[in-house]
Amino acid sequence: DNLSKRDLTSLFSLLNTVVVTNKKTAPENTGKLRISKVVTGTGVVDSDYTHNFTFKVSLKNADGTPLEHKYYYYGEQRAGYIGDGGTLSLRHDEALTVLGLPAGTKWEIKEQLNDQEKGWSVVPSSRTLSGDITTDEIALAAFTNYKGTLPRGTLTVSKTVAGAAGDQSKDFHFT
């Protein structure tokens, strides 16, 4: 309520409770970006779980120019503001969410490598994830660091031709 024309004298005697509510409307046509880190592997030691990994944040308009403003981010144990070209650090099992990014924002998150982090395999192997912000959605940039011998999987591709119209003698090539 607007209290500018009210007598407030009674507020300063005895016990009174005053409730103030700030209303802030969320900007329209915005989305969020969640950046996360997981550490795993056969060579992980206790100190690896508390190691801070650094990420460079790129936030561009649809035309490729840097976003002018800084945007609020939060996690379980901290909060702050980040803009284009800023850096964030994450530990194992930590995530930060950037709020209020305009729809159409082109984002790129790149994990920075320092000497202590040699011997780690990172998913993605490029150490970079990118995408676009969509209204009312959360874009995800999830990084996994693996220490030790990275297990390799296998891939089997097969093709089955079914139905009377299929040519069962035709060769198929996969790339």
Side-chain angles (χ1 to χ4, degrees):
D1 292 327
N2 184 352
L3 302 176
S4 64
K5 296 185 181 182
R6 294 198 178 184
D7 179 10
L8 301 178
T9 308
S10 65
L11 291 177
F12 302 102
S13 60
L14 301 173
L15 178 62
N16 295 289
T17 302
V18 177
V19 176
V20 177
T21 303
N22 291 331
K23 292 183 180 179
K24 182 176 180 182
T25 57
E28 292 184 18
N29 300 320
T30 63
K32 301 174 186 176
L33 171 59
R34 183 175 173 85
I35 308 162
S36 65
K37 164 61 71 190
V38 173
V39 171
T40 188
T42 57
V44 174
V45 295
D46 288 345
S47 62
D48 292 330
Y49 292 109
T50 57
H51 178 76
N52 284 313
F53 295 87
T54 304
F55 298 85
K56 185 164 185 165
V57 177
S58 173
L59 300 170
K60 308 286 188 204
N61 289 304
D63 65 5
T65 59
L67 290 182
E68 294 179 20
H69 302 289
K70 291 190 175 188
Y71 296 88
Y72 180 76
Y73 70 84
Y74 70 94
E76 284 186 22
Q77 299 179 11
R78 61 196 159 110
Y81 289 87
I82 187 78
D84 179 62
T87 59
L88 295 171
S89 63
L90 293 168
R91 293 182 312 276
H92 167 68
D93 211 20
E94 187 175 24
L96 297 173
T97 302
V98 183
L99 304 176
L101 294 168
T105 296
K106 296 184 178 309
W107 58 268
E108 181 180 275
I109 310 300
K110 181 166 184 66
E111 184 170 353
Q112 305 294 296
L113 177 64
N114 67 41
D115 290 339
Q116 294 175 332
E117 295 160 5
K118 291 185 177 168
W120 288 90
S121 297
V122 179
V123 175
S125 60
S126 66
R127 295 183 176 259
T128 303
L129 290 169
S130 60
D132 297 331
I133 296 297
T134 303
T135 300
D136 298 329
E137 291 189 14
I138 302 173
L140 301 175
F143 292 82
T144 301
N145 288 44
Y146 191 92
K147 192 174 194 181
T149 304
L150 190 62
R152 300 288 178 196
T154 60
L155 174 66
T156 302
V157 178
S158 64
K159 175 75 175 177
T160 303
V161 178
D167 182 357
Q168 295 187 2
S169 64
K170 180 178 178 181
D171 286 335
F172 293 91
H173 300 278
F174 301 93
T175 58

